[in-house]
Amino acid sequence: MTSAILRAGLRAFAAAALAAAWFHAAAQEPYPSRPITMVMPYAPGGPGDAITRLFAASMQKTLGQQILVDNTAGASGSIGTAKVARSKPDGYTLLMIHVSHATNLAMYKSLPYHPVDDFEPIGSATSGPMVIVTRNDFPPRDLTEFIAYLKANPAKVSLAHAGVGSASHLCGLMMMNALNVQLNEIPYKGTGPALTDLMGGQVDVLCDQTSGTVPSVKAGKIKAYAAAGKARLPGLPGVPAISEAGVQGFDINISFGLYAPKGTPKPVLDQLTAALQKSVSDPELRNRLDAMGVAAVNADQATPAALRAHLKDEIDTLGGLLIKAGVKPN
Ligand code: MLT
């Protein structure tokens, strides 16, 4: 009996010693000493994916380690976000996300994480407008006819988006509210796959961020009817703003920010914020984002405080907007 207890005690001691050694070694190794994963919780080919890949390629030059983009998509970005929340807080798993980090709090009754309590903000990255696009053979010839068509045929029109509370859903909701119509909503795991169906004619309308759509409009693969706001898009100057058709109270801008799991050591967070600030200040990255109709934030916005404040503002305003619009939480 005694030898069994002795053996169990020795095993426990050995495990504790190994764990202490691992933590000591981890604490000693320079960061980063191996590749980093940046989770983008929407499907490849969408605006979030495009923005994430640009920042991963830019930040890895500063950090000196490869940054691998992981598109863990589904449930309006909450599956990928949950993956980061439960990952080791060691700086090797990051999250690039936008408005759905705020809206999912109101849209899911049992969200397996809290967007504030379970994350450390690293800094804001970009902001950008949205545009209303359709399949190429959609009948209306201009914005006036587009609005009339939606009002006359709501049951016939399908509206793609990337899940409840996503940017494309919020924009679609604002459009339906402004026009007082209910279209047939078709959710996707990202607007990358939605765009594919739009080009194939399987779905009619999509309101998406410009980083995913402007190139396809310019290539003549889809049609743009309006910028989703008060101002025209620099990349599509011939497309009117929806406000020009008298549609008020509809102006949406989407910002992306970078997060780490709660508990990530401060020196690691500071290193990541510094790398993000270097990227948003890089002329080459700024020009590439500009070509997609997206603006990199200024370095003084690529900070934990700025992102924390932005997230709080979105949580305070957008959750209520969705509930008021009649969106039922899952
Ligand atoms: C959305 O919110 O619509 C997403 O950003 C779409 C995407 O990035 O795939």
Side-chain angles (χ1 to χ4, degrees):
M1 181 58 175
T2 317
S3 59
I5 292 171
L6 194 58
R7 277 200 304 276
L10 281 173
R11 274 199 300 275
F13 175 76
L18 268 176
W22 181 86
F23 272 107
H24 179 71
Q28 300 312 308
E29 69 184 10
Y31 172 83
S33 55
R34 53 190 163 84
I36 296 164
T37 297
M38 190 179 281
V39 174
M40 167 19 66
Y42 287 93
D49 183 52
I51 287 168
T52 304
R53 290 182 188 279
L54 284 177
F55 275 90
S58 173
M59 289 178 69
Q60 69 183 15
K61 286 187 276 188
T62 304
L63 293 166
Q65 283 292 339
Q66 200 181 6
I67 298 182
L68 306 167
V69 174
D70 167 359
N71 295 88
T72 298
S76 292
S78 61
I79 292 174
T81 305
K83 179 177 185 177
V84 177
R86 61 173 180 269
S87 67
K88 219 183 256 127
D90 56 9
Y92 289 99
T93 308
L94 308 176
L95 172 70
M96 180 69 90
I97 193 167
H98 60 5
V99 65
S100 59
H101 200 45
T103 55
N104 282 337
L105 186 59
M107 290 295 99
Y108 289 92
K109 292 177 191 138
S110 54
L111 202 61
Y113 60 83
H114 188 282
V116 177
D117 301 345
D118 294 327
F119 292 88
E120 307 281 4
I122 293 166
S124 295
T126 65
S127 71
M130 300 188 80
V131 60
I132 299 168
V133 293
T134 72
R135 56 185 168 82
N136 252 342
D137 56 355
F138 201 56
R141 290 167 302 180
D142 57 27
L143 178 53
T144 306
E145 285 190 12
F146 174 79
I147 291 170
Y149 188 91
L150 263 54
K151 288 183 172 178
N153 311 282
K156 283 169 55 181
V157 177
S158 56
L159 172 76
H161 59 66
V164 169
S166 64
S168 45
H169 177 243
L170 278 175
C171 185
L173 207 58
M174 288 179 179
M175 180 180 72
M176 290 190 286
N177 283 355
L179 305 184
N180 194 24
V181 297
Q182 179 56 55
L183 307 179
N184 300 302
E185 297 182 33
I186 314 286
Y188 289 80
K189 289 190 172 182
T191 51
L195 207 51
T196 302
D197 277 4
L198 200 72
M199 290 183 213
Q202 280 80 32
V203 70
D204 296 323
V205 182
L206 166 68
C207 183
D208 197 11
Q209 300 158 66
T210 54
S211 40
T213 43
V214 170
S216 302
V217 173
K218 288 184 170 175
K221 295 176 182 170
I222 54 176
K223 261 197 296 193
Y225 280 97
K230 299 190 181 92
R232 293 195 175 203
L233 305 172
L236 295 172
V239 176
I242 196 155
S243 59
E244 294 176 43
V247 176
Q248 301 307 325
F250 176 7
D251 199 7
I252 186 166
N253 194 290
I254 300 300
S255 299
F256 278 87
L258 194 60
Y259 295 86
K262 191 75 177 174
T264 303
K266 180 82 169 54
V268 170
L269 293 171
D270 291 346
Q271 236 180 299
L272 288 166
T273 296
L276 177 63
Q277 289 178 332
K278 191 167 179 194
S279 291
V280 297
S281 308
D282 174 18
E284 187 200 341
L285 178 61
R286 295 184 73 88
N287 291 338
R288 292 193 66 181
L289 288 165
D290 185 58
M292 298 192 299
V294 174
V297 302
N298 293 326
D300 62 352
Q301 286 300 307
T303 63
L307 180 55
R308 189 176 291 112
H310 181 82
L311 175 60
K312 182 182 181 317
D313 177 53
E314 289 191 329
I315 288 173
D316 292 348
T317 55
L318 292 171
L321 179 145
L322 285 159
I323 301 295
K324 212 170 83 191
V327 181
K328 298 279 177 283
N330 289 314

